[in-house]
Amino acid sequence: MAGVSDPVAGAEFRPLTAPEFEQFRRLAYEKFGLDLRDGKQQLVASRLARNMRDLRLRSFQDYYRYVTADRTGEALIALIDALTTNHTSFFREPAHFEFLRRVILPLLGRRRPIDIWSAACSTGEEPYSIVFSLVEELGAALGNVRVLATDISTRVLAVARRGAYPAIRCEGIPQLQLRRCLLRGENLWQGWYKVKPELRALVDFRRLNLMDSFFGLGSFSVIFCRNVMIYFDRPTQESLVNRLAACLEPGGYLLIGHAESLNGLHHPLRYVHPAVYRKPECESGHQRWGP
């Protein structure tokens, strides 16, 4: 296998060997549930090389030692950042937000509190899209609303908490919501938008590894966990779905990515339509909310 070119230093890293790839694959699986399948060796080498360049390391073995020796955990987070794609956008997979507005929120609007969890929230577009949907459907009646947004990466969470985005990233936001929910930047911030502070305050951003315990998070009416299970093998997917289901209220909804499916997994949720599942009502037969 050829070495990985370092365009900054004008040299090459030592090639990623099969045993080194196996070390990184085992580490990623044990710490994050990430399934680096066979055939990904060149992709892994290319992505890790960026971190190695910043650290001025010349071999993948040196980088592995650096990551495993770091007690702060930040090196592990940088590793997972390099190996996964934090692609997101406002109202990505819009059918979910249409379902949220037209089906779920009219039911939730008759009850309080409203608790929604955006798992793997990346740079914040998903939880803010949820908040914008809440504003559109509920208007000023946003008391007792909580949107929890979690991600494993401290880097993307810093962007999410700031809530400032270049205009090109806001093109998917309808004009009415753009005016109602964001502030247009001026002077040095021209060409940017920032989520209004009272709406940012509705979102509780926290760092969370989806492989860790969910104890203390509470229960939710809706959980968005989209386009993250594609990185996991089937046993990890099944474990995650069951732990997410345990966090849902009876009658609550789990929304997954349209490229994902729960087919073949054992779980307590009922299929509603593509990428939407619902937890059954209480066994006692007493309906908690909704039809």
Side-chain angles (χ1 to χ4, degrees):
M1 177 181 175
V4 179
S5 176
D6 177 359
V8 174
E12 286 191 344
F13 298 120
R14 297 174 188 172
L16 178 67
T17 65
E20 288 170 341
F21 175 68
E22 187 59 34
Q23 281 184 313
F24 283 111
R25 179 159 69 172
R26 186 168 59 250
L27 180 66
Y29 187 79
E30 291 174 353
K31 298 295 184 180
F32 311 114
L34 181 62
D35 184 21
L36 297 174
R37 297 176 179 86
D38 291 334
K40 297 288 188 181
Q41 190 167 338
Q42 182 62 47
L43 177 66
V44 169
S46 176
R47 292 190 172 185
L48 296 187
R50 302 170 192 169
N51 293 358
M52 293 168 59
R53 183 163 57 244
D54 292 340
L55 295 166
R56 300 186 180 278
L57 298 174
R58 290 297 178 195
S59 76
F60 289 95
Q61 192 60 45
D62 286 345
Y63 182 52
Y64 180 81
R65 293 192 192 99
Y66 171 82
V67 171
T68 54
D70 175 42
R71 296 186 178 182
T72 69
E74 291 301 317
L76 272 172
I77 293 171
L79 173 74
I80 196 66
D81 268 352
L83 294 176
T84 56
T85 302
N86 287 310
H87 171 72
T88 187
S89 60
F90 286 102
F91 296 102
R92 183 184 184 190
E93 300 186 350
H96 277 149
F97 296 96
E98 183 73 11
F99 188 82
L100 178 67
R101 290 192 300 267
R102 303 304 180 199
V103 178
I104 301 177
L105 290 183
L107 300 173
L108 293 179
R110 299 196 295 266
R111 59 187 290 277
R112 292 292 188 272
I114 295 175
D115 293 295
I116 301 176
W117 178 13
S118 168
C121 68
S122 188
T123 46
E125 285 91 333
E126 179 177 274
Y128 289 132
S129 297
I130 293 169
V131 169
F132 300 165
S133 299
L134 288 165
V135 171
E136 181 179 339
E137 183 63 33
L138 305 179
L142 292 178
N144 250 347
V145 167
R146 178 180 72 129
V147 177
L148 175 66
T150 65
D151 200 279
I152 195 171
S153 170
T154 52
R155 179 183 60 82
V156 299
L157 285 172
V159 175
R161 289 190 181 100
R162 189 163 58 245
Y165 303 93
I168 194 171
R169 295 270 292 276
C170 300
E171 290 178 350
I173 305 175
Q175 283 299 312
L176 180 61
Q177 292 185 358
L178 195 67
R179 292 193 298 269
R180 182 180 294 174
C181 300
L182 293 102
L183 301 170
R184 187 193 300 270
E186 297 179 347
N187 301 323
L188 293 177
W189 286 98
Q190 188 171 358
W192 287 69
Y193 286 91
K194 189 166 187 176
V195 179
K196 290 184 176 180
E198 63 270 23
L199 300 184
R200 293 202 312 273
L202 295 176
V203 186
D204 176 14
F205 288 103
R206 301 187 199 175
R207 182 179 175 272
L208 177 71
N209 183 343
L210 290 176
M211 297 301 101
D212 292 343
S213 169
F214 298 160
F215 178 78
L217 293 184
S219 64
F220 300 89
S221 308
V222 187
I223 298 176
F224 284 70
C225 187
R226 306 187 305 163
N227 304 303
V228 64
M229 287 190 291
I230 56 174
Y231 293 109
F232 303 150
D233 63 10
R234 301 300 278 179
T236 305
Q237 290 175 354
E238 184 167 293
S239 172
L240 175 60
V241 168
N242 279 277
R243 292 188 298 120
L244 291 171
C247 293
L248 279 174
E249 298 175 355
Y253 289 88
L254 173 66
L255 280 62
I256 65 173
H258 282 88
E260 300 169 320
S261 171
L262 304 190
N263 290 341
L265 304 182
H266 295 285
H267 58 83
L269 304 178
R270 294 176 180 170
Y271 174 88
V272 176
H273 61 68
V276 178
Y277 295 81
R278 196 179 192 196
K279 186 172 183 176
E281 300 289 348
C282 304
E283 292 183 357
S284 63
H286 295 294
Q287 190 169 322
R288 289 286 297 275
W289 58 278

